[in-house]
Amino acid sequence: MDIQAQPDYCGDVFHQGGTIEYIRAHGHEYDFIHASPPCVALPKGGKVRDVPVPKVVAAALRDHFKEFEPIAVTLPWRTPDGPLVTKQLIFSGIEGNHVRVSVFNDHRWKPALAAAGTIPEAEADARHAWAREHGVHALRHFYAFVLLHAGDSIRALSSQLGHSDPGFTLQTYTHLMPSNKGHTRSAIDGAFRPTQDDQ
């Protein structure tokens, strides 16, 4: 992830919690074209958007910066033959370059899921079975789940996820929305509770 990271800027935002401008995600649009070289592209939806940074995330990023400084990476912009651009990346690979989603899934994310008993262990000398729901993309859905159960509206969630249509967000995440019959009864009871003038 590149947020035009400068040490002072990151320190101000990540120490206090607040908002960052989510400018671009590395290679987002091209990670699934295996024959193509990596690119720098806008995140899902091709949009720039603001993302609130909770204090717990701010603290984790602050700790990350103590150990790993942002690195400069030069890659094509948007398409493999696009103009070269140099961006500061917050997260980098072992060799000090960009992180490939497939490598992160295979060597970090899926082994962690297997260790937690969420998915089966990979067979010897074999990759974990491919399943979109077992990739790091699942964190996006977890984020949606947490916000919906905390009471965020579909419109707010749609903005956070970069969806152009809240109706699409509703259709995608309806199954994650909490159902609370007790809350429903209390809401209607409250709306029709007699006032003092009625008593």
Side-chain angles (χ1 to χ4, degrees):
M1 179 174 67
D2 168 22
I3 58 165
Q4 301 294 342
Q6 298 297 330
D8 291 341
Y9 171 78
C10 293
D12 290 343
V13 174
F14 298 150
H15 277 273
Q16 302 298 326
T19 300
I20 61 173
E21 187 179 54
Y22 183 8
I23 296 177
R24 59 188 60 82
H26 163 71
H28 178 89
E29 296 177 6
Y30 306 100
D31 278 340
F32 300 108
I33 304 176
H34 299 293
S36 298
C39 305
V40 177
L42 291 171
K44 189 166 186 175
K47 299 176 182 177
V48 174
R49 56 188 179 273
D50 293 334
V51 177
V53 179
K55 291 181 179 179
V56 64
V57 175
L61 287 170
R62 184 182 65 238
D63 291 342
H64 176 78
F65 280 119
K66 289 178 181 177
E67 189 170 355
F68 305 100
E69 293 184 0
I71 64 165
V73 173
T74 300
L75 292 167
W77 172 249
R78 295 189 63 188
T79 61
D81 60 352
L84 293 178
V85 294
T86 299
K87 301 296 176 184
Q88 296 287 324
L89 300 184
I90 292 177
F91 303 106
S92 58
I94 298 175
E95 299 176 356
N97 52 16
H98 61 277
V99 177
R100 290 185 180 273
V101 172
S102 58
V103 173
F104 182 81
N105 274 334
D106 285 345
H107 298 283
R108 294 290 183 266
W109 180 250
K110 289 186 177 180
L113 291 182
T118 303
I119 64 174
E121 293 281 355
E123 295 183 11
D125 300 323
R127 297 176 65 179
H128 287 275
W130 186 90
R132 181 174 174 81
E133 66 271 20
H134 296 159
V136 72
H137 186 79
L139 287 175
R140 180 176 171 88
H141 300 308
F142 174 73
Y143 179 76
F145 169 84
V146 170
L147 293 186
L148 287 173
H149 276 256
D152 262 21
S153 69
I154 284 292
R155 181 173 294 278
L157 177 62
S158 179
S159 174
Q160 297 302 320
L161 296 179
H163 293 164
S164 58
D165 179 13
F168 174 79
T169 310
L170 179 62
Q171 181 179 6
T172 303
Y173 292 108
T174 294
H175 67 289
L176 295 182
M177 297 180 68
S179 176
N180 188 330
K181 294 180 180 180
H183 176 76
T184 301
R185 288 192 294 268
S186 297
I188 299 302
D189 284 342
F192 289 95
R193 183 176 295 116
T195 65
Q196 289 185 348
D197 292 340
D198 296 331
Q199 296 176 352

